[in-house]
Amino acid sequence: SISIFFFFFLVVASKLGKLCMIYLLCRRKSLSDFFKWMIARCAFAHILICVSREEEERLRNKIRADHEKALEEAKEKLKKSRDEIQAEIQTEKNKVVQELKKKDSKPLPPVPLPNLIGINSGEPADPDIREKRNKIKEMMKHAWDNYRQYGWGHNELKPIARKGHSTNIFGNSQMGATIVDALDTLYIMGLHDEFREGQEWIDKNLDFSVNSEVSVFEVNIRFIGGLLAAYYLSGQEVFKIKAVQLAGKLLPAFNTPTGIPWAMVNLKSGVGRNWGWASAGSSILAEFGTLHMEFVHLSYLTGDPVYYNKVMHIRKLLQKMDRPNGLYPNYLNPRTGRWGQHHTSVGGLGDSFYEYLLKAWLMSDKMDTEARKMYDDAIEAIEKHLVRKSNGGLTFIGEWKNGHLERKMGHLTCFAGGMFALGADGSRDDKAGHYLQLGAEIAHTCHESYDRTTLKLGPEAFKFDGGVEAVAVRQNEKYYILRPEVIETYWYMWRFTHDPKYRQWGWEATQAIDKYCRVSGGFSGVKDVYSSSPTYDDVQQSFFLAETLKYLYLLFSNDDLLPLDNWVFNTEAHPLPVLHLANTTLSGNPAYR
């Protein structure tokens, strides 16, 4: 009776009813045969159901885990800015492109080196001058040996604490900034054992695949500039290879709506951003405008136009923009392409932009007339609106802020004396003599800023207000951090005039640095140049070895050492050869020429 009830229940209440009737009619079997058949099928179905449930549970758990992972990733993404997310997407795209390139990657193409003149000469005949040059070489050896002993591999040295030092421009990584920055100085001074030490460290230890956020500008002028100069001077391929590797790490900084690069980039992720203090998230003129020399040489050495195209895009954008009073403001927003705060300076934030316009023309064997025109236009506006003469007859370059001129000049601005002299030849309206004289007047003013201090070392900034002339007023502007700009101008003025006062002024600075900045563990900046017993800042800057000591050494060398007809110095004093027409960028490709 139970079997009969179960049968009728299947027929009436289940979808198996039809199956049962078909089975009985078609196969003419008994009801008991049907139940045997059904039990077998049910057992098989039960096995299938158990297996499918396990599989379903496994899939459900996997979906749940994937869902939770996606939620966590989404939460992390929401913590980031839109620009960071876009940069990460672009970086992933770039990785795919690079992987594709690796499949058919080729070594760097052989490139004919420009005619390299004057890399192993300069010995002065005058024994007094030779003695002074040897003293400067001894100072370089003191700075290097102590860095080698106490800060090796670190970016810079704390000479009093006798340990490594770094700043946020190099991120949190130890990239040996002093080693890279000092290489060409070591080479031209004939310190070849020390040069080989640096080369060996770079070959074995210099790694750019680090999770570190660095300044695009500083890394370009110090590292790429330093590596390229070391390559040209020594011919060692490792320097060229490292420079190209690092340049590839900087390219993601250009991934902005305008192509104006971010101030900082993470070498690993490629994420870029600007300094928080810069006007409304702006990029800085002296930073994005100081890439041209190095990037043109990168394209020349690699045959890849990407570097050249990046800097030429910046130039084309700037040419289209309106300039208040013909002046370039220091801030430009990389998202909107609009100027930020209308602050113009030939010192910090603006300085090397103007320098690189002139040097782009010189480096091109004076073929880049577009750069020369931009330079001439800029300095005419600077002379009209920023250059003034004090009541005491000192020529200075002020800063344009909020519609008025601030009568203050920074140590950084003192480079301009050398720039005016360097650009005198080729200036429009036959004003070469005028600009050489302007350079001499700036050199005199900057010397006065040194001479009017107790230590005979110049302050960070100095005023021209009322009875105060070429003197720092604020306490936070009285420090000297081993800067090179005044000595740089002395050297250029010496090269173009051979007036002995420039060597005299340079020797005064040499003696002051050796007396007041030298410590047993290297050289340190001082906090107050007006104090007879100054305190130290305990930092030996990498640019002291790259620039200050190099310019002093050149000042007391003959002109056949790195002659200016054949070499152009980047803003970190790294010499790069003039690319004559026969060797111009991508010389084998007419389209790129």
Side-chain angles (χ1 to χ4, degrees):
S1 61
I2 293 172
S3 297
I4 294 171
F5 173 78
F6 181 66
F7 169 72
F8 280 108
F9 174 79
L10 285 174
V11 172
V12 176
S14 172
K15 292 181 180 180
L16 295 175
K18 291 182 181 179
L19 181 63
C20 173
M21 296 301 294
I22 291 169
Y23 179 88
L24 292 174
L25 292 172
C26 295
R27 303 192 64 176
R28 300 176 183 275
K29 296 288 184 179
S30 65
L31 188 61
S32 61
D33 290 333
F34 170 73
F35 278 115
K36 290 177 184 177
W37 179 78
M38 278 295 297
I39 290 168
R41 294 299 183 275
C42 287
F44 180 67
H46 178 70
I47 294 169
L48 288 176
I49 289 169
C50 290
V51 172
S52 65
R53 282 177 179 169
E54 290 177 3
E55 180 65 18
E56 181 182 339
E57 186 65 24
R58 188 185 69 79
L59 288 172
R60 186 180 289 113
N61 289 337
K62 184 177 184 303
I63 292 169
R64 186 182 295 112
D66 290 344
H67 180 65
E68 289 174 354
K69 183 180 177 182
L71 281 174
E72 287 300 315
E73 289 178 354
K75 288 177 183 177
E76 289 299 315
K77 292 288 183 188
L78 287 172
K79 293 177 183 177
K80 299 180 179 180
S81 69
R82 179 182 176 183
D83 291 331
E84 288 178 315
I85 294 170
Q86 287 178 336
E88 287 183 359
I89 293 170
Q90 188 62 47
T91 299
E92 290 302 317
K93 289 181 180 178
N94 291 341
K95 284 181 182 177
V96 173
V97 172
Q98 291 302 319
E99 287 300 320
L100 292 173
K101 283 184 178 179
K102 282 181 183 178
K103 293 180 180 179
D104 58 350
S105 62
K106 299 175 183 178
L108 294 176
V111 176
L113 281 177
N115 190 19
L116 303 180
I117 295 174
I119 59 176
N120 293 302
S121 51
E123 182 77 16
D126 186 325
D128 180 58
I129 300 301
R130 190 162 58 245
E131 183 182 351
K132 289 173 179 174
R133 192 173 88 141
N134 287 337
K135 171 59 181 177
I136 295 159
K137 181 175 178 179
E138 183 276 327
M139 291 167 68
M140 177 68 181
K141 188 110 171 49
H142 179 71
W144 175 266
D145 287 348
N146 279 283
Y147 169 77
R148 179 71 178 83
Q149 183 171 358
Y150 301 117
W152 192 241
H154 289 264
N155 289 315
E156 291 172 321
L157 170 69
K158 294 178 77 67
I160 297 172
R162 298 190 178 189
K163 63 180 182 179
H165 171 75
S166 191
T167 63
N168 63 341
I169 60 174
F170 304 119
N172 55 9
S173 61
Q174 299 307 324
M175 295 168 59
T178 294
I179 298 173
V180 180
D181 233 359
L183 279 173
D184 52 6
T185 307
L186 294 170
Y187 192 91
I188 68 169
M189 287 185 177
L191 296 170
H192 296 303
D193 289 340
E194 291 81 357
F195 181 87
R196 281 189 288 270
E197 286 179 338
Q199 179 181 338
E200 183 178 353
W201 186 90
I202 286 169
D203 190 24
K204 294 180 179 178
N205 300 288
L206 188 55
D207 178 21
F208 305 118
S209 300
V210 290
N211 184 21
S212 185
E213 188 179 57
V214 300
S215 163
V216 174
F217 162 74
E218 295 287 357
V219 166
N220 175 63
I221 66 171
R222 301 191 197 209
F223 283 82
I224 295 181
L227 290 166
L228 290 176
Y231 167 68
Y232 282 120
L233 290 171
S234 71
Q236 296 297 314
E237 287 285 316
V238 62
F239 301 126
K240 179 172 72 172
I241 292 167
K242 292 289 185 180
V244 173
Q245 288 174 354
L246 177 54
K249 296 287 187 178
L250 298 186
L251 286 178
F254 292 82
N255 295 333
T256 66
T258 60
I260 298 294
W262 299 115
M264 292 175 287
V265 69
N266 186 293
L267 293 177
K268 188 171 186 178
S269 69
V271 174
R273 69 180 178 93
N274 276 341
W275 303 108
W277 51 263
S279 174
S282 290
S283 297
I284 296 166
L285 182 68
E287 296 192 340
F288 67 76
T290 308
L291 302 166
H292 189 97
M293 290 179 64
E294 297 82 2
F295 274 46
V296 166
H297 271 277
L298 286 166
S299 280
Y300 171 72
L301 291 172
T302 64
D304 189 343
V306 64
Y307 308 104
Y308 176 81
N309 290 340
K310 294 293 186 188
V311 291
M312 289 306 293
H313 174 79
I314 294 172
R315 181 189 291 182
K316 297 300 182 187
L317 188 147
L318 291 175
Q319 284 179 316
K320 294 175 184 176
M321 297 185 66
D322 291 329
R323 297 185 297 278
N325 297 318
L327 299 170
Y328 289 89
N330 290 337
Y331 300 106
L332 181 62
N333 192 302
R335 297 184 184 88
T336 65
R338 296 192 183 97
W339 297 118
Q341 177 188 356
H342 285 188
H343 171 210
T344 297
S345 169
V346 184
L349 307 179
D351 47 10
S352 48
F353 165 71
Y354 307 101
E355 175 188 355
Y356 269 41
L357 291 177
L358 173 63
K359 290 181 176 179
W361 175 68
L362 292 169
M363 199 179 73
S364 71
D365 202 18
K366 303 182 180 179
M367 299 298 292
D368 188 354
T369 54
E370 183 179 69
R372 178 74 212 208
K373 181 182 183 304
M374 292 177 71
Y375 170 76
D376 287 335
D377 290 344
I379 63 169
E380 282 183 4
I382 287 166
E383 190 170 10
K384 180 179 180 181
H385 297 287
L386 304 183
V387 176
R388 295 289 184 269
K389 197 174 284 284
S390 72
N391 294 333
L394 296 178
T395 301
F396 68 95
I397 307 173
E399 297 187 11
W400 192 262
K401 281 187 178 180
N402 303 318
H404 75 278
L405 184 71
E406 185 176 12
R407 297 171 65 86
K408 180 175 81 171
M409 186 170 173
H411 193 291
L412 290 167
T413 317
C414 285
F415 93 98
M419 180 181 72
F420 291 139
L422 183 63
D425 185 27
S427 56
R428 61 174 60 143
D429 301 327
D430 196 25
K431 295 176 72 173
H434 167 75
Y435 283 112
L436 192 60
Q437 178 60 29
L438 180 58
E441 291 177 11
I442 296 298
H444 173 66
T445 298
C446 293
H447 175 257
E448 285 298 308
S449 77
Y450 275 52
D451 203 44
R452 298 181 185 192
T453 70
T454 303
L455 304 186
K456 305 303 178 186
L457 293 170
E460 183 70 4
F462 40 95
K463 291 269 194 176
F464 296 88
D465 278 338
V468 176
E469 293 195 357
V471 173
V473 176
R474 300 170 61 181
Q475 186 61 40
N476 63 357
E477 294 175 341
K478 294 181 178 180
Y479 59 87
Y480 173 71
I481 57 171
L482 307 172
R483 286 203 187 276
E485 291 79 19
V486 174
I487 294 163
E488 175 184 356
T489 280
Y490 294 165
W491 173 62
Y492 278 112
M493 292 307 304
W494 164 257
R495 279 284 175 103
F496 289 113
T497 69
H498 279 199
D499 187 328
K501 71 182 179 185
Y502 296 114
R503 278 184 165 172
Q504 177 190 334
W505 293 352
W507 185 242
E508 288 172 5
T510 303
Q511 290 178 306
I513 291 169
D514 198 52
K515 182 176 182 180
Y516 295 109
C517 299
R518 184 174 185 135
V519 295
S520 60
F523 288 88
S524 169
V526 291
K527 295 182 179 180
D528 188 348
V529 293
Y530 300 97
S531 170
S532 57
S533 55
T535 55
Y536 296 108
D537 66 9
D538 196 19
V539 179
Q540 180 176 282
Q541 306 277 352
S542 80
F543 58 68
F544 177 65
L545 292 81
E547 299 184 76
T548 310
L549 291 173
K550 183 187 286 119
Y551 284 130
L552 283 170
Y553 187 79
L554 290 170
L555 179 60
F556 292 95
S557 299
N558 290 343
D559 293 358
D560 58 353
L561 179 58
L562 300 174
L564 292 174
D565 287 339
N566 302 89
W567 296 89
V568 184
F569 288 72
N570 88 337
T571 199
E572 189 78 3
H574 296 306
L576 300 176
V578 171
L579 295 175
H580 295 283
L581 188 59
N583 288 346
T584 47
T585 306
L586 307 172
S587 56
N589 190 322
Y592 290 137
R593 278 175 69 108

